[in-house]
Amino acid sequence: MFFLILVVAGSLLLHWLYKLNKDYYVMAFFAKRLYTKDGRSAESISPVAPGKTIFGNTLDLYGCDNASVFKLSRDLAKEMGESFVEYDLGTPVYNVIDAEIAENVMNHPNLITKGLFYKFLYPFLRTGLLTSTGKKWHSRRKMLTPTFHFNILNQFQEIFKTESQKFLQQFRGKDEATIVLNDVIPRFTLNSICETAMGVKLDEMAEKGDRYRESFSQIEACFTRRLSNPFLWGDWLFNLLAAKDYAAALNVVHGFSSEIIAKRRLLLKDELENLKEAQSNDDDVFTTKKRFAMLDTLIYAEKDGLIDHIGICEEVDTLMFEGYDTTSIGLIFGLMNMGLYADKQEECYQEIQEHISDDLSNLDIGQLNKLKYLDYFMKETVRLLPSVPVMGREAVQDTELANGLVLPKGSQIALNVFDIHRNVKYWDSPDEFRPERFLPENCQNRHTYAYVPFSAGQRNCIGQKYAMQEMKTLLVVILKEFKILPVTDPKTIIFTAGITLRTQNKIQVKLVRRK
C-alpha cells in the first residue's frame, strides 16, 4: 500500500513537473522560459543553446579559466549563427548577435536597467552612471552630459597633447625601443583622465596610481570568478566565501579616488578665490577662462544639494575606471594594428603630415577631425577589438520585443558586441582588418547597430568623443616621431574574459625613430 502511494505521488509529481516545464526550464533551476503572445514557439524565433549538463546552461562555464570562458562564449555564438537563448541558474539569458535585435533592446524604454553581472561591480563602483538605473541614472546622466560639451573637450585637447609628449620623453635619445603596451599605455590613460576629468595631476602620486591599477586587476579577477561560478552570483554566498579576498584591493581604489576628490576640492577652492573678482558667475563653466574639470560639476552639484559625497565617489570611481581602462585597451590594439599593417600606418602618417605641423602647434580638435583615415583606422580597430565585448540589460517586467519574443521579468540580455561586429550579415570577411569599411559610401547600406563599440541608444557611452580624441592624439604624436613595427604575432594572442577585453599574453611593438 505504501509503495502504491509512493508510485502515485511520484507520478503526480512528474506530471506536475512536466506541465510546469512548458513555462519553466525545470532542470535549469526553474528558469522562466521566453514565450510569445501569438502562440508561436519561442524557439522558432530564437533557438536555445544546448547545455553541457542536464541543468541547462547553468554549469557550462563552471570551472573554466578566463580564456576558456571567452573562447567558449565566442564559439557558441558562431555555432548558433543568430541570436539565441540560454537557461542558466534560474535565469533565462537572451544572447543578441543581430543588429536589428540590438537596436530594439538598446532603444526599448523598459530595458535601461543593466544586467545581473553589473551587480558584481557594485562593491567597486556602487551605483554610479554605469551601474545605476531609473531616476538615479536619469539624474546623473543629465548632470554629467554637459561635462562632455565640445568647448570642454576642446580645453582637454591641450592636456592630451601635453601628456602624449610626456609619454614620448621616456624614449628621448633612443633611436628604437621595444615596449610592452600593457605596461605603459594604462599609465598614460590614467594620467590623462585624472588631469582632465578630475583636474588633478598624478605627478606626485605616481606610485599610488600604480597601486590603483594593480588593485583594479584584483577587482577584475573577482568579477570573472563570479562570472564563471553561478553559485557566487548571489551576494550572500559571495560575501560568505569570497568577498574578504578582495577587501584590500577595494580599499586601495576607493582610497585613491577619495584622495583625488579631496585634492580637487582644495584646488577648486583656490581657483575660485583667485577668479572671484574676474568672474561674475562661477557656474558658467562654458565662458569662464579657467580650465574646467568634470569633477567640478559634481562638487557644484553637491553645493546645490543634488548629490552627496558618496554620490561623488560613485561617479569618480566610474569615470576613472571607464576613462582609463577602456581607452587604454583601444590604444593598445590601435598601436598593435599600426605595427601589423604597415601600408595603413603609412597612409595615416601621410595624412598627419598633411594636416599637423611638426611642432604640433596646430594639433587641436579642428585639425584632428581632418584626419579621416586615422578615424577609419581606429573605428576598424574597435570594431574587431571592442573594449567592452559584452553589454548587459535586465528586463524589470515582462517585455515584448519587435520580433515577437517576450522576455519574462528578470530575464538577462547579453548584447554580444564582439559577435555583432563579426556577424557576416553585416560584414564581409569580418575577421579582416579593413579601415575602408568606414568610408561614407561603404556605410550607407550597413545597419547602424551593426557597429556599437560605445553602445547606442539612451545608454550610449557618454565619453565616446573624449575617448576617440585622446586615442587619436597619442597616435598622432607617436607617428610624428616613430614608425611602429610589429613584435607580437596576432595569432598567438589569447583573449580572456574580464570586465573589459583582455589578453592572456602582453602585447609588444617596436618604435623606430623616423629619419
Side-chain angles (χ1 to χ4, degrees), residues 197-199 260-261 264 293-300 312 316:
M198 304 303 142
I260 292 287
I261 295 168
R264 186 58 196 168
M294 296 173 186
L295 176 52
D296 297 351
T297 290
L298 298 171
I299 294 174
Y300 289 141
I312 293 178
V316 167

Side-chain angles (χ1 to χ4, degrees), residues 364-409:
D364 56 23
I365 289 183
Q367 292 302 106
L368 207 58
N369 289 338
K370 293 179 181 179
L371 305 178
K372 300 298 184 184
Y373 193 80
L374 180 62
D375 187 59
Y376 305 151
F377 185 98
M378 285 309 299
K379 284 181 176 177
E380 178 68 346
T381 293
V382 297
R383 177 190 72 84
L384 276 170
L385 302 160
S387 295
V388 183
V390 182
M391 301 171 189
R393 297 286 190 275
E394 180 175 323
V396 295
Q397 62 189 64
D398 284 18
T399 302
E400 185 174 10
L401 300 179
N403 61 4
L405 206 59
V406 178
L407 308 176
K409 179 181 178 180

Side-chain angles (χ1 to χ4, degrees), residues 212-260:
Y212 171 88
R213 291 186 291 107
E214 291 168 3
S215 298
F216 176 77
S217 296
Q218 295 177 44
I219 290 169
E220 184 168 52
C222 170
F223 176 86
T224 53
R225 179 179 175 183
R226 296 186 74 177
L227 182 71
S228 60
N229 186 348
F231 301 108
L232 293 180
W233 287 2
D235 289 337
W236 187 82
L237 268 182
F238 170 74
N239 290 333
L240 179 68
L241 301 175
K244 62 182 183 299
D245 297 339
Y246 308 99
L250 284 171
N251 287 337
V252 170
V253 296
H254 289 155
F256 182 71
S257 58
S258 293
E259 187 171 348
I260 292 287

Side-chain angles (χ1 to χ4, degrees), residues 164 167-172 174-188 331-336 338-339 474-475 478-479 482-488 505-513:
S164 298
F167 176 83
L168 285 191
Q169 287 178 5
Q170 60 190 305
F171 310 117
R172 182 178 293 171
K174 297 180 180 179
D175 288 332
E176 59 181 57
T178 298
I179 59 175
V180 180
L181 295 173
N182 307 74
D183 293 340
V184 297
I185 293 300
R187 186 174 292 116
F188 163 79
L331 275 168
I332 288 168
F333 290 126
L335 287 163
M336 179 190 77
M338 283 289 179
L474 180 62
L475 289 172
I478 292 176
L479 289 175
F482 292 96
K483 283 186 177 180
I484 303 170
L485 302 181
V487 175
T488 299
N505 40 338
K506 293 190 174 184
I507 296 172
Q508 301 181 65
V509 296
K510 185 176 184 179
L511 303 182
V512 178
R513 193 172 297 278

Side-chain angles (χ1 to χ4, degrees), residues 57-74 86 88-89 93 95 115-121 219-235 238 242 246 389-392 412-414 416 495-502:
N57 307 102
T58 299
L59 301 176
D60 286 4
L61 301 179
Y62 184 76
C64 293
D65 61 20
N66 294 349
S68 297
V69 169
F70 187 89
K71 184 178 185 303
L72 288 170
S73 300
R74 304 287 74 77
E86 291 180 290
D88 288 319
L89 184 69
V93 181
N95 287 270
L116 168 68
F117 301 139
Y118 287 79
K119 294 178 182 177
F120 301 166
L121 297 175
I219 290 169
E220 184 168 52
C222 170
F223 176 86
T224 53
R225 179 179 175 183
R226 296 186 74 177
L227 182 71
S228 60
N229 186 348
F231 301 108
L232 293 180
W233 287 2
D235 289 337
F238 170 74
Y246 308 99
V390 182
M391 301 171 189
Q412 302 298 310
I413 305 167
N416 293 284
F495 294 107
T496 64
I499 299 174
T500 48
L501 185 62
R502 300 290 181 217

Side-chain angles (χ1 to χ4, degrees), residues 316-514:
V316 167
D317 285 329
T318 300
L319 282 170
M320 284 180 59
F321 154 58
E322 292 195 286
Y324 114 81
D325 186 53
T326 58
T327 309
S328 71
I329 294 167
L331 275 168
I332 288 168
F333 290 126
L335 287 163
M336 179 190 77
N337 284 337
M338 283 289 179
L340 293 173
Y341 305 100
D343 56 332
K344 303 184 190 310
Q345 178 185 165
E346 181 63 20
E347 193 158 347
C348 289
Y349 174 69
Q350 293 301 329
E351 182 181 61
I352 291 168
Q353 288 297 90
E354 179 183 351
H355 294 289
I356 308 298
S357 61
D358 288 342
D359 63 1
L360 304 176
S361 58
N362 68 337
L363 182 50
D364 56 23
I365 289 183
Q367 292 302 106
L368 207 58
N369 289 338
K370 293 179 181 179
L371 305 178
K372 300 298 184 184
Y373 193 80
L374 180 62
D375 187 59
Y376 305 151
F377 185 98
M378 285 309 299
K379 284 181 176 177
E380 178 68 346
T381 293
V382 297
R383 177 190 72 84
L384 276 170
L385 302 160
S387 295
V388 183
V390 182
M391 301 171 189
R393 297 286 190 275
E394 180 175 323
V396 295
Q397 62 189 64
D398 284 18
T399 302
E400 185 174 10
L401 300 179
N403 61 4
L405 206 59
V406 178
L407 308 176
K409 179 181 178 180
S411 297
Q412 302 298 310
I413 305 167
L415 296 156
N416 293 284
V417 177
F418 196 94
D419 306 299
I420 293 172
H421 287 182
R422 282 172 165 74
N423 193 322
V424 294
K425 288 167 61 176
Y426 319 107
W427 309 95
D428 62 290
S429 303
D431 291 322
E432 291 183 12
F433 184 83
R434 300 206 311 252
E436 293 75 17
R437 297 180 196 272
F438 291 94
L439 287 165
E441 59 269 27
N442 293 334
C443 296
Q444 289 178 353
N445 298 320
R446 185 185 303 135
H447 197 290
T448 304
Y449 284 70
Y451 176 73
V452 285
F454 298 101
S455 190
Q458 55 188 333
R459 291 209 72 151
N460 68 327
C461 175
I462 196 172
Q464 56 185 291
K465 290 183 179 179
Y466 173 99
M468 291 297 284
Q469 181 182 340
E470 180 184 356
M471 291 190 290
K472 288 190 282 190
T473 300
L474 180 62
L475 289 172
V476 167
V477 173
I478 292 176
L479 289 175
K480 271 287 187 182
E481 291 198 31
F482 292 96
K483 283 186 177 180
I484 303 170
L485 302 181
V487 175
T488 299
D489 182 349
K491 294 179 182 177
T492 66
I493 293 176
I494 299 173
F495 294 107
T496 64
I499 299 174
T500 48
L501 185 62
R502 300 290 181 217
T503 58
Q504 197 172 76
N505 40 338
K506 293 190 174 184
I507 296 172
Q508 301 181 65
V509 296
K510 185 176 184 179
L511 303 182
V512 178
R513 193 172 297 278
R514 297 183 186 274

Side-chain angles (χ1 to χ4, degrees), residues 251-311:
N251 287 337
V252 170
V253 296
H254 289 155
F256 182 71
S257 58
S258 293
E259 187 171 348
I260 292 287
I261 295 168
K263 282 181 176 291
R264 186 58 196 168
R265 285 187 190 277
L266 291 174
L267 289 170
L268 184 59
K269 181 180 179 182
D270 292 341
E271 289 174 5
L272 291 178
E273 288 177 355
N274 292 336
L275 289 167
K276 193 172 183 180
E277 295 181 1
Q279 185 178 331
S280 60
N281 183 0
D282 290 340
D283 293 330
D284 191 357
V285 298
F286 298 115
T287 59
T288 183
K289 293 181 180 179
K290 80 178 184 69
R291 180 173 286 161
F292 179 74
M294 296 173 186
L295 176 52
D296 297 351
T297 290
L298 298 171
I299 294 174
Y300 289 141
E302 183 185 34
K303 292 179 180 180
D304 294 335
L306 301 176
I307 193 171
D308 57 15
H309 177 70
I310 294 298

